[in-house]
Amino acid sequence: MVLKVSKKYMILKWFAAAILFSALMLGAITWYLSIKLKPILTAEIQELVVKSTDSLYHIEFSSISTNVLTGISALEDVKISPDTNIYHKLINLKRAPNNLYKIKLKKLAVRNFHAYRMWRHKKLNIDLLLFDNPCVVMTNRQFDFNEDKLPQPKKSPYDYISKYLKELRIQTVEFKNASFKYVDNNAARPVIDSVANLNVTLKDWLIDAHSATDKSRLYLLKDVLINLNNYNFATPDSLYYLNLNHLDFSASSGKLNIKSFNLSPRYEEMKFADTAGNAKERYSIQMSNINLTGIDLPLYILKQELFAKEMNIANGTLSVLSNNAFPKKLTVKTGQDPHQLLQKLNGQLCIEKLNLSNVDISYAEFNPNSGHKGVITFEQTSGTVTNVTNVEKTKAKNPLMVADLTSYLMGSGKLEVNFKFNLNATDGAFSYSGVLSNMDGRTLNRMTKPLGMVRVNSGDIKKLEFNIDANDEQAKGKVRFAYNDLSVALLKRVKGEDRLVKQGLMSFLANALIMNSDNPNAAGVFVSAPVSYTRVKTASFFNFIWKTLFQGVKYSVGLTPEKEKKVKDQIAKFGKMKMDREERIKRRAARLKGNK
């Protein structure tokens, strides 16, 4: 029995010794091969980069560590740089790319490079090429000879490596936590943008005899994946923070998704204008569920033109506040309407269709005369905007950007509006038409009381129709306003207090002499209002539209220039009567005093 146990022990001992010996031998072989392979691998990596990029790029690194058995290697202090002499030669040959890249990082890791397959079959296959925390600088200069260049190379990179390899394949190239700087060299002075915390994954990069003609590949890749998490940016004017949370993009699907986009003012509502030093409009934007489809990545890489078939924005808010207690900074705002600002963008943009869903829009003003803030809201705004572009070729085919929107004014009346913007018009021509229906006029008091010092006592809005043609200077068209039982009260602020009180006489005159309480009236006569409004050059696009429609509304309810003059004359008459009465009272009091 003891003999049997002893034999088993000896077998295990010899087995363990064999394993240890094998491990030592393998370790020694690995060490020996790695020492021998280091200069070979260094030379081959450097030559591969040069050959596969038509000598445009070269790679430098301070050291290389290699484990042949595990297939894991790492390069230290890596620099991938373009050769400027080669670049200028390629420009003369009309073969230079629009983009040049410089990459610098502490460590580049190669995992599973399958050394045996490379030696045996001349196929260099790498599972993962990891750029950890790289700094990438991309410089763009657009060349005419690249105008219609395809995302597949004209000359196959395989021609450069075929003497050494039958295949060069990297399953995944990963840029982890990259800082990215974009330099636009197409203007007199370079324009620089940068972003950090960027993750880029390149899938299945392949160089072989057929990959260059494979139309399912983009620059020899099967896919490009981009991820950006929690990007924060403080605007240069120190007034806003911009936050972009969770951006994902896939080149193969052409889809980009943004979980949320926020533009947040640094200061609360009433302090913002004080900080800005004038009645600067304060914007607050919160958007979620933003996505674009049909993005053409090669077009963007080649020409920095963002093309997308469709863009969707759902569940967002846009709030604008102007504090009129502060002086306005008067600047000419003609030429700054939406379609005109689109044409002034530095980059080229083309979105065939923009879909809006459930976006709340509000515009507010603080009126120092009333001491209150008035607000107008457009809630649950939905609809489409087509042909959002500043690309000349696209505008030549279709010069109109069209917006069809549905919203609820003050969360009550349904508003349907259509805008047509002429993208090629030198005078900023555009038109808008629409219908507001079924609304209680008292809902407007949130706006009319603080801003107009007018309270709507009653009013049933049946339908407000408008059709306006406008440009940088003038708006003309027609407004048809159908309503019943309209009555208002004119207000004034109590001195030293924030509350508003009714002006009895003025309210009586407004309702008795000016206002048409019904349209059409009891006799069935309907008053439609032609509109001709001259734009104030310092007025915004929104102000221009609002004042134009307000003119039509005023005329429809009877507040015409003729009636305004009549009321002023009547007020002057009442004023004279009041002064005469007070003078008679004084004279009577003087006579009574003299008689005593």
Side-chain angles (χ1 to χ4, degrees):
M1 185 70 177
V2 176
L3 184 60
K4 289 183 178 180
V5 173
S6 178
K7 285 184 177 180
K8 288 182 178 180
Y9 174 74
M10 290 299 293
I11 292 172
L12 290 172
K13 185 177 179 181
W14 281 107
F15 184 69
I19 292 176
L20 178 62
F21 177 77
S22 299
L24 289 172
M25 287 299 295
L26 288 172
I29 292 170
T30 298
W31 174 81
Y32 176 77
L33 290 176
S34 65
I35 293 296
K36 289 291 185 181
L37 283 174
K38 275 184 181 179
I40 298 173
L41 285 174
T42 298
E44 288 197 358
I45 289 171
Q46 291 175 334
E47 191 170 5
L48 275 172
V49 171
V50 171
K51 292 293 185 181
S52 62
T53 62
D54 197 7
S55 301
L56 181 57
Y57 289 94
H58 62 273
I59 185 171
E60 300 174 30
F61 45 90
S62 62
S63 64
I64 179 172
S65 59
T66 305
N67 189 317
V68 177
L69 295 179
T70 60
I72 298 176
S73 294
L75 309 181
E76 304 287 342
D77 300 318
V78 182
K79 292 181 182 179
I80 301 175
S81 307
D83 186 322
T84 54
N85 292 325
I86 296 296
Y87 177 63
H88 288 108
K89 287 180 181 179
L90 291 174
I91 292 175
N92 293 330
L93 294 171
K94 296 186 177 182
R95 286 166 42 197
N98 283 4
N99 298 309
L100 276 185
Y101 298 90
K102 289 183 181 179
I103 303 173
K104 183 188 294 186
L105 68 160
K106 275 289 182 183
K107 189 174 185 178
L108 187 153
V110 179
R111 294 181 184 172
N112 300 331
F113 58 82
H114 305 287
Y116 178 78
R117 193 181 301 169
M118 181 177 67
W119 295 322
R120 182 70 175 173
H121 303 289
K122 283 192 174 182
K123 291 184 178 181
L124 178 52
N125 296 147
I126 298 171
D127 288 353
L128 175 65
L129 185 62
L130 176 62
F131 293 77
D132 198 0
N133 292 284
C135 177
V136 181
V137 179
M138 170 182 168
T139 303
N140 176 264
R141 179 183 171 191
Q142 296 185 26
F143 298 106
D144 291 338
F145 52 78
N146 285 331
E147 184 70 22
D148 299 313
K149 192 173 182 180
L150 297 173
Q152 290 84 27
K154 289 182 179 179
K155 183 176 181 180
S156 173
Y158 180 69
D159 295 341
Y160 301 109
I161 69 168
S162 58
K163 293 180 181 179
Y164 311 93
L165 295 170
K166 293 181 180 179
E167 177 183 284
L168 171 58
R169 185 174 218 146
I170 305 175
Q171 288 293 341
T172 303
V173 181
E174 187 171 343
F175 293 81
K176 186 178 180 181
N177 292 326
S179 62
F180 184 85
K181 182 185 288 186
Y182 171 73
V183 182
D184 186 343
N185 259 350
N186 295 294
R189 293 183 178 181
V191 179
I192 300 175
D193 290 314
S194 61
V195 65
N197 302 320
L198 186 68
N199 298 304
V200 180
T201 302
L202 312 178
K203 303 296 289 185
D204 193 14
W205 186 65
L206 174 64
I207 297 178
D208 67 5
H210 308 290
S211 61
T213 57
D214 185 351
K215 292 189 177 181
S216 69
R217 291 183 177 273
L218 172 73
Y219 302 112
L220 306 175
L221 295 159
K222 274 294 185 181
D223 205 356
V224 177
L225 306 174
I226 299 173
N227 171 264
L228 179 63
N229 285 314
N230 200 30
Y231 172 68
N232 294 290
F233 175 74
T235 58
D237 59 11
S238 300
L239 294 177
Y240 294 95
Y241 290 114
L242 184 148
N243 174 264
L244 190 151
N245 185 25
H246 203 75
L247 177 149
D248 289 297
F249 171 73
S250 168
S252 62
S253 66
K255 291 182 179 180
L256 182 147
N257 295 296
I258 300 173
K259 187 177 181 180
S260 68
F261 170 86
N262 296 315
L263 181 69
S264 305
R266 294 193 185 189
Y267 306 98
E268 54 88 20
E269 288 186 343
M270 304 313 292
K271 189 179 177 182
F272 186 87
D274 187 24
T275 305
N278 56 69
K280 188 180 183 72
E281 291 179 335
R282 175 186 183 272
Y283 290 85
S284 179
I285 303 174
Q286 293 180 327
M287 296 291 174
S288 59
N289 301 326
I290 301 172
N291 66 75
L292 292 90
T293 61
I295 293 176
D296 189 335
L297 183 61
L299 183 64
Y300 183 77
I301 292 174
L302 189 66
K303 300 173 62 179
Q304 276 58 65
E305 179 180 328
L306 178 57
F307 172 87
K309 288 188 175 296
E310 197 163 281
M311 180 176 182
N312 301 287
I313 301 175
N315 305 318
T317 61
L318 166 61
S319 303
V320 185
L321 170 67
S322 179
N323 189 343
N324 294 332
F326 289 81
K328 288 184 177 290
K329 187 177 181 180
L330 298 179
T331 56
V332 175
K333 293 185 179 179
T334 53
Q336 297 186 31
D337 293 345
H339 58 309
Q340 295 171 312
L341 291 175
L342 175 63
Q343 305 314 304
K344 295 176 182 179
L345 286 177
N346 289 328
Q348 291 188 306
L349 174 69
C350 181
I351 299 174
E352 291 186 351
K353 187 178 182 181
L354 168 62
N355 300 309
L356 295 176
S357 177
N358 195 32
V359 177
D360 293 336
I361 302 169
S362 67
Y363 178 81
E365 287 187 9
F366 178 79
N367 185 356
N369 296 323
S370 68
H372 294 277
K373 179 179 70 174
V375 61
I376 181 170
T377 64
F378 302 89
E379 300 176 25
Q380 300 177 51
T381 303
S382 301
T384 62
V385 186
T386 57
N387 199 37
V388 183
T389 186
N390 59 3
V391 179
E392 293 300 328
K393 288 182 179 179
T394 309
K395 291 192 297 179
K397 295 177 182 177
N398 179 12
L400 291 181
M401 180 172 72
V402 180
D404 281 300
L405 303 172
T406 299
S407 188
Y408 289 87
L409 181 62
M410 300 305 224
S412 176
K414 185 177 182 181
L415 175 63
E416 296 176 289
V417 62
N418 172 272
F419 285 91
K420 289 185 175 69
F421 299 96
N422 190 329
L423 301 176
N424 290 329
T426 57
D427 63 352
F430 68 97
S431 65
Y432 56 101
S433 60
V435 179
L436 172 67
S437 56
N438 299 325
M439 183 175 177
D440 186 339
R442 291 174 295 181
T443 310
L444 296 172
N445 282 330
R446 287 175 59 198
M447 175 185 61
T448 61
K449 286 175 63 178
L451 300 183
M453 309 281 276
V454 175
R455 182 182 70 227
V456 180
N457 292 328
S458 63
D460 184 12
I461 298 173
K462 298 296 184 183
K463 185 179 287 188
L464 173 64
E465 296 179 279
F466 50 91
N467 196 325
I468 309 293
D469 292 313
N471 56 33
D472 279 336
E473 297 181 352
Q474 191 80 17
K476 292 184 178 182
K478 182 172 287 189
V479 171
R480 293 174 57 85
F481 185 24
Y483 59 89
N484 294 116
D485 192 29
L486 182 62
S487 172
V488 301
L490 304 185
L491 308 175
K492 65 178 180 180
R493 185 179 180 182
V494 177
K495 190 174 182 180
E497 300 182 27
D498 286 338
R499 63 190 182 93
L500 303 174
V501 296
K502 178 181 176 181
Q503 300 184 65
L505 176 61
M506 294 295 291
S507 299
F508 170 77
L509 291 174
N511 289 300
L513 300 180
I514 300 179
M515 306 290 292
N516 300 323
S517 60
D518 298 281
N519 192 26
N521 62 18
V525 177
F526 186 88
V527 177
S528 61
V531 173
S532 181
Y533 181 79
T534 301
R535 182 177 189 168
V536 178
K537 292 186 181 296
T538 56
S540 66
F541 174 74
F542 181 86
N543 181 276
F544 184 31
I545 291 175
W546 175 248
K547 289 293 181 67
T548 301
L549 294 179
F550 186 58
Q551 185 188 82
V553 170
K554 284 199 306 180
Y555 288 6
S556 296
V557 301
L559 189 59
T560 60
E562 294 77 17
K563 282 193 177 181
E564 284 188 282
K565 183 177 183 303
K566 182 178 178 181
V567 170
K568 287 179 181 178
D569 292 342
Q570 191 65 46
I571 291 173
K573 182 178 178 181
F574 277 125
K576 187 175 185 305
M577 290 172 61
K578 182 180 178 181
M579 291 176 61
D580 291 344
R581 181 172 176 274
E582 290 175 349
E583 187 63 32
R584 288 196 301 271
I585 291 174
K586 287 181 182 179
R587 287 198 299 267
R588 187 182 303 160
R591 285 196 305 270
L592 290 174
K593 186 176 180 181
N595 291 333
K596 291 180 180 179

